[in-house]
Amino acid sequence: MVDNLILATDGQTTLYLIEPDPAGFKPLASASLLPESGIEGRTASIVGTNLNWSPIALADGKLLIRGQNQMMCVKVAE
């Protein structure tokens, strides 16, 4: 929660700014942050995925988000 709003990801590439509403999902803004990428493994091939299951962190107006292949720091406040 930041200023009574929720910052959350879809677990893949999109970050959402959400207004809490018991009636349902109410996104105010969204941004695609982590590009799609393929992952090759010995027993499996997953194409077009970039999962960001790790928690996001916010400090001093900067958001830290990590996917499977990269980490980003995004300025979200002035």
Side-chain angles (χ1 to χ4, degrees):
M1 295 285 292
V2 178
D3 294 332
N4 295 320
L5 299 172
I6 299 170
L7 277 171
T9 72
D10 65 357
Q12 293 183 353
T13 63
T14 306
L15 174 72
Y16 291 96
L17 181 63
I18 304 165
E19 183 178 331
D21 187 341
F25 181 63
K26 192 172 181 182
L28 300 176
S30 65
S32 182
L33 295 182
L34 299 169
E36 291 285 338
S37 61
I39 303 165
E40 293 292 332
R42 289 184 185 177
T43 59
S45 175
I46 305 169
V47 179
T49 61
N50 191 9
L51 306 176
N52 63 48
W53 293 341
S54 60
I56 57 177
L58 182 67
D60 295 325
K62 296 178 185 116
L63 179 79
L64 190 64
I65 184 169
R66 183 177 65 87
Q68 290 177 300
N69 300 312
Q70 67 180 343
M71 182 181 291
M72 298 179 102
C73 182
V74 181
K75 186 175 179 182
V76 294
E78 294 186 329

